[in-house]
Each structure stands twice: as structure tokens, then as C-alpha cells.
Amino acid sequence: MEHRGMKRMLYLAAMAVWASCCACAQEAEGIKSIPLNLEAGFGAGTQKDGRMPFMANLDLSYDILRNVSIHAMSQVSYYMPKNGSTMKHNKETSLGGGVACVLFPSEKSIKGDFEARASVTTTVGSSDFKNTAYNIGLYWHGETRKWNLTPVIGVGYTLRDFSKKGMDNYQGMFVSIGVRL
């Protein structure tokens, strides 16, 4: 069951990379590009009740309007104990989606946009940390002409509902950093 979640995540990543390559090729040919973005990043949350999540995520977004986008995401989280070891039992794989809205659209003279995002993810496969996560955050993504990579920095609040496993819920702040293709 664990391999099935990883296969889904790898399949989504491959499809996202393929779509990004198509968009870059169209942009190079002068054709209007597809409003599709791929983000990859890492994050960390605050410690609560001996649980401190570290995350690696993949986010595929599609701009449905000029300042509004929908997101499909996959995330792998590790809950770090005091000794810092990562084992199979303190790992989870999640899939979900969300929406985002650009709050302050950038002008040509200003680099970057601020975006408010809200998302819901739920764990797939078997894990000791089965949960549903609700996230809300403020993200900044800059602009760079080099390599078509854009830095993305986010800060927000997360609530992870562990009620299916009979554990206390996790609430805390998170910080993430990544790149957008």
C-alpha cells in the first residue's frame, strides 16, 4: 500500500514536468503559454506534543483567472522525534488540493507576487500518522529570467486532524521554501 502512494506521487510529478516542458516549448515558439506551474519545496512546522513535521512537497497549479489558481499537491511528511531519527513509522504521504489568490499583483517595476493559499490534504496508504491537514498561508514568489526558476517562500498555519488514529490534533505554524518552474 505504501508503494501505491509513492507511485501516484511519481506519476503526478512526471505529468507535471511534461506539462511544464510543453509550456516552455510553446513559450519559446511565441505561442501563448499554458497557465500551468509546478512547485517543489521543503517546509518545517513548529513542535507540539513531541511532534515536529518536516515536509517535502510537489504542487501543480493552474491559473483559472488572472489572479486565482487551483492546486493539486502531494506531500511527504516526517515527524521528527527528539533523537531526530526518521523511520518508516513516522512518515506519511498525503494528496490534496487547494485554491490561491494573488493579493498584491506585481507591476513591471516590482518583482514578485504575494499570494494567499488554502489547501486540504489527506494521507494515503498506511501510516501511523493518518490525518487530514488544513493549511492556510501567505506565499511570495519572485521573478527571475535565469533558468525559468522562481523562488517561493511561504509562512502559514496548519491544523492536522488525527482523530481517525485517536491522537491529539496538531496545530502550528509552518515555513516553506521552494522553486517554481
Side-chain angles (χ1 to χ4, degrees):
M1 198 70 161
E2 181 73 30
H3 296 292
R4 190 177 299 164
M6 291 301 289
K7 285 180 184 178
R8 287 179 188 158
M9 188 171 81
L10 289 173
Y11 177 73
L12 285 172
M15 293 301 292
V17 169
W18 175 78
S20 294
C21 290
C22 289
C24 290
Q26 286 180 349
E27 202 169 290
E29 294 174 4
I31 301 171
K32 185 179 177 187
S33 66
I34 299 170
L36 196 62
N37 298 303
L38 175 66
E39 289 181 18
F42 296 97
T46 55
Q47 184 171 355
K48 182 182 182 263
D49 298 332
R51 291 178 279 176
M52 184 173 183
F54 286 92
M55 295 128 335
N57 59 7
L58 195 60
D59 185 341
L60 179 65
S61 66
Y62 180 77
D63 298 333
I64 56 174
L65 297 172
R66 183 171 179 236
N67 293 330
V68 178
S69 60
I70 56 174
H71 296 254
M73 57 192 62
S74 175
Q75 179 172 293
V76 176
S77 299
Y78 288 95
Y79 293 91
M80 300 299 271
K82 290 182 181 180
N83 65 1
S85 61
T86 58
M87 306 276 184
K88 187 175 182 178
H89 70 272
N90 63 346
K91 175 187 154 199
E92 73 176 40
T93 303
S94 301
L95 294 175
V99 296
C101 179
V102 175
L103 298 176
F104 309 110
S106 67
E107 297 175 12
K108 300 247 183 211
S109 61
I110 301 173
K111 300 290 185 185
D113 288 329
F114 283 94
E115 188 174 64
R117 295 183 187 177
S119 64
V120 176
T121 59
T122 188
T123 53
V124 293
S126 63
S127 172
D128 288 343
F129 288 94
K130 276 198 170 299
N131 67 77
T132 301
Y134 306 93
N135 302 308
I136 187 164
L138 181 64
Y139 290 77
W140 173 82
H141 50 88
E143 288 189 24
T144 172
R145 295 178 194 262
K146 211 173 197 180
W147 305 304
N148 290 333
L149 294 178
T150 303
V152 178
I153 300 170
V155 63
Y157 179 78
T158 186
L159 167 67
R160 293 177 184 241
D161 180 11
F162 289 96
S163 60
K164 290 183 181 177
K165 284 299 234 180
M167 298 168 52
D168 290 336
N169 291 341
Y170 170 86
Q171 301 177 38
M173 299 295 291
F174 70 86
V175 175
S176 68
I177 186 166
V179 293
R180 176 183 276 191
L181 302 171

